[in-house]
Amino acid sequence: MRFLRRSLTGIFLLAVTLVLIAWAGTMVRNAVVARMNEEPRSIPQRERVLAVNVITLEPQTIVPELTVFGELRSRRTLDLRSATGGTLLEVSDDLIEGGTVATGQLLLRIDPAEAQAALDRAQADLQDAQAEVRDADRAVTLAEDDLAAARAQANLRDVALTRARDLEARGVGTAAAVETAELDASSAQVTVLTRRQSLAAAQARIDLATTQLARARISVAEADRALADTEVYAAFDGTLSGVTISPGGRVTDNELFAQLIDPTALEVSFRVSTSQYARLLDEAGALINAPIAVTLDVSGVNLRAEGQITREGAAVAAGQTGRLLFARLEPAPGFRPGDFVTVRINEPALSNVALVPATAVAPDQTVLIVVEEDRLRAGDVALLRRQGDDVIIGLGDNAGAVIVAERSPLLGAGIKVRPLQAGGAEDAAEPEMIALDDARRAKLIAFVNDGPLPDDVKARIIGQLEADEVSFETVSRLEARMGS
């Protein structure tokens, strides 16, 4: 009985298990069918809005600035040469490299012995020529007196011939007397002709003596100039460069011993590309006298000078491109010929343009304009100039539009954005001024005094340091150099 009861219990449990499994399978099947028959649910997506910096394209007139590099040179440069050779008897103490001389200052004196001897010989020849002129004048006077006497004698012979012929006609004289009178008259005429020839020779002697006198005077002038050339003077105020002689030395004819440079008459030469050159031409195709600014960074202090373009190179040198331009500078303390400087040129002004960051313009010269509902639209602009990190664009029909200042690959036409309007163009911040204590001020002034700066630059920096407040940038640069 027990076995049967257990067997029935097992069969019952097995049947219940199979029923439960069948019921679970039916539930799963019904759930799958219901799930597959349901419509798909869609979760609403929010549109992504990007925050962007924007600027407004306000039409304005801008003067583009062209930045190039150039070299300073002096407009007044004179090669100092010795016109004659010889031993140096005297040399100025300022005839050294970098020496400063004044107009008319004696630079050197060459031994004048040979030049003085040549001048003395020329003067002696001049005296001989002058004596010859006087002798020729006296010879002409005597020749004129001889001619006058010969003509008087010829007149007397003619009178005697007339009287002899008259006596012969009256039968008182003889034919022999007439012939004798005719011979005497003929001889007198020959004498007159001889005296005229003597007078002509005396006059020709005067012409020859006058020519010799002129040549003698020329020789004296040349000898006097050669003597004067033994002394060399400064033609203008300036600084000496390339000095190659020393006291007690010897120079040869036409030897270049130094170069005199006027450091105050400066100009800058610089090269621009052909396209940049074309922007500096007027309507007639002539180069405009555009204003320029020249800067030179010297020990943390910028030297600056103003100027104006004056001319251009006549031809393009072999292997070069663009155009070589020259600009005259106003008085520029601290600058020296040979300095390599930065040149900023003001081009003709552009109207109806705007200055925007370079990141706002795509390579295809388009910008992203914020339109209705803060969405973006591509707009065409004309890229006119590049100014460092900014560009100048022509507005066209986009005047007053709001554009994206900094483009990114995430931005494009039709995208909704959240504009962040930057503040308008602000004036350049004033340099930060700080007060110095006495020890720090004295340390900076001592550093400037010991530095290799020109005296005028030192005076200007020291004047800034002695003020109650000093530019933080100037102090930082000087202290950085002190620590280097």
Side-chain angles (χ1 to χ4, degrees):
M1 288 296 292
R2 183 179 299 177
F3 172 78
L4 180 61
R5 187 176 55 255
R6 291 180 178 178
S7 298
L8 291 175
T9 301
I11 293 172
F12 175 75
L13 293 177
L14 177 61
V16 172
T17 301
L18 292 175
V19 171
L20 290 176
I21 292 174
W23 180 65
T26 301
M27 291 183 61
V28 172
R29 179 179 175 278
N30 292 336
V32 171
V33 172
R35 181 66 176 175
M36 293 180 63
N37 291 332
E38 288 180 357
E39 295 182 357
R41 292 183 301 172
S42 59
I43 301 175
Q45 298 288 334
R46 292 184 58 187
E47 183 179 6
R48 187 176 183 182
V49 179
L50 301 177
V52 293
N53 294 323
V54 297
I55 55 176
T56 303
L57 298 181
E58 298 291 345
Q60 54 184 312
T61 299
I62 300 177
V63 177
E65 187 178 74
L66 175 62
T67 302
V68 293
F69 298 97
E71 182 180 4
L72 294 185
R73 50 190 290 178
S74 176
R75 300 195 309 270
R76 298 178 63 189
T77 301
L78 177 64
D79 288 342
L80 299 179
R81 298 179 180 273
S82 57
T84 182
T87 304
L88 299 178
L89 295 183
E90 181 180 350
V91 176
S92 173
D93 294 337
D94 294 327
L95 188 57
I96 55 177
E97 185 70 25
T100 302
V101 297
T103 303
Q105 180 178 345
L106 177 64
L107 301 180
L108 59 84
R109 179 180 289 111
I110 302 173
D111 187 359
E114 295 181 1
Q116 184 64 52
L119 177 61
D120 294 341
R121 286 192 296 269
Q123 289 175 345
D125 294 340
L126 177 62
Q127 293 176 357
D128 291 341
Q130 291 172 343
E132 179 64 20
V133 170
R134 291 193 297 268
D135 291 343
D137 289 337
R138 288 192 294 266
V140 169
T141 302
L142 293 176
E144 290 175 347
D145 293 341
D146 287 344
L147 178 59
R151 285 176 175 172
Q153 188 176 9
N155 292 333
L156 293 176
R157 296 296 184 185
D158 291 339
V159 172
L161 176 60
T162 302
R163 185 171 58 254
R165 288 174 177 172
D166 183 57
L167 291 175
E168 180 184 13
R170 289 185 295 173
V172 180
T174 62
V178 174
E179 292 177 357
T180 301
E182 290 177 347
L183 291 173
D184 292 340
S186 177
S187 299
Q189 292 296 331
V190 172
T191 302
V192 170
L193 181 59
T194 303
R195 295 296 183 269
R196 288 177 62 191
Q197 291 177 345
S198 299
L199 178 59
Q203 291 175 342
R205 183 182 174 188
I206 286 181
D207 294 339
L208 181 60
T210 302
T211 303
Q212 292 177 348
L213 178 60
R215 291 175 178 173
R217 286 173 176 169
I218 293 174
S219 299
V220 170
E222 290 178 348
D224 187 63
R225 185 167 58 252
L227 180 61
D229 287 340
T230 59
E231 296 179 347
V232 180
Y233 296 89
F236 52 84
D237 296 347
T239 305
L240 296 174
S241 174
V243 179
T244 59
I245 61 175
S246 58
R250 183 177 180 85
V251 294
T252 59
D253 294 346
N254 201 38
E255 178 181 348
L256 176 64
F257 62 86
Q259 194 175 51
L260 182 60
I261 300 174
D262 187 353
T264 61
L266 294 179
E267 67 177 8
V268 58
S269 62
F270 53 92
R271 187 172 296 275
V272 297
S273 66
T274 305
S275 60
Q276 293 171 340
Y277 168 77
R279 300 200 295 263
L280 298 176
L281 301 179
D282 57 15
E283 296 179 355
L287 182 67
I288 62 175
N289 297 326
I292 69 166
V294 175
T295 57
L296 175 64
D297 188 4
V298 180
S299 299
V301 179
N302 287 332
L303 300 180
R304 180 182 174 88
E306 305 292 335
Q308 191 176 50
I309 295 177
T310 57
R311 66 188 191 280
E312 59 182 297
V316 179
Q320 298 290 340
T321 59
R323 299 292 185 270
L324 183 63
L325 304 183
F326 300 89
R328 177 177 297 181
L329 298 184
E330 298 175 356
F335 287 97
R336 289 295 181 269
D339 283 340
F340 191 70
V341 295
T342 301
V343 183
R344 293 180 172 85
I345 309 166
N346 291 336
E347 300 182 17
L350 300 176
S351 302
N352 193 29
V353 297
L355 181 67
V356 300
T359 54
V361 183
D364 59 353
Q365 298 189 16
T366 60
V367 295
L368 294 177
I369 303 175
V370 181
V371 293
E372 295 81 2
E373 299 181 358
D374 291 338
R375 295 193 179 275
L376 299 180
R377 175 179 63 83
D380 294 329
V381 294
L383 179 59
L384 302 179
R385 301 287 190 278
R386 293 191 178 274
Q387 304 286 284
D389 295 333
D390 299 327
V391 293
I392 298 176
I393 58 175
L395 300 184
D397 298 333
N398 298 320
V402 178
I403 67 170
V404 176
E406 299 175 359
R407 300 182 59 149
S408 73
L410 300 178
L411 300 177
I415 294 180
K416 187 177 181 62
V417 295
R418 179 164 57 88
L420 301 177
Q421 184 72 39
E426 300 180 356
D427 296 334
E430 294 293 333
E432 182 181 356
M433 308 298 288
I434 61 173
L436 299 178
D437 54 42
D438 294 340
R440 189 178 182 185
R441 190 192 312 274
K443 185 177 180 181
L444 292 173
I445 292 176
F447 172 73
V448 173
N449 284 324
D450 296 338
L453 298 176
D455 294 339
D456 50 356
V457 178
K458 290 182 179 179
R460 186 170 62 184
I461 298 175
I462 292 176
Q464 297 176 3
L465 295 176
E466 290 178 347
D468 294 338
E469 292 186 345
V470 185
S471 170
F472 176 75
E473 182 181 4
T474 301
V475 174
S476 299
R477 289 182 177 178
L478 292 176
E479 289 181 342
R481 293 185 60 87
M482 292 170 61
S484 59

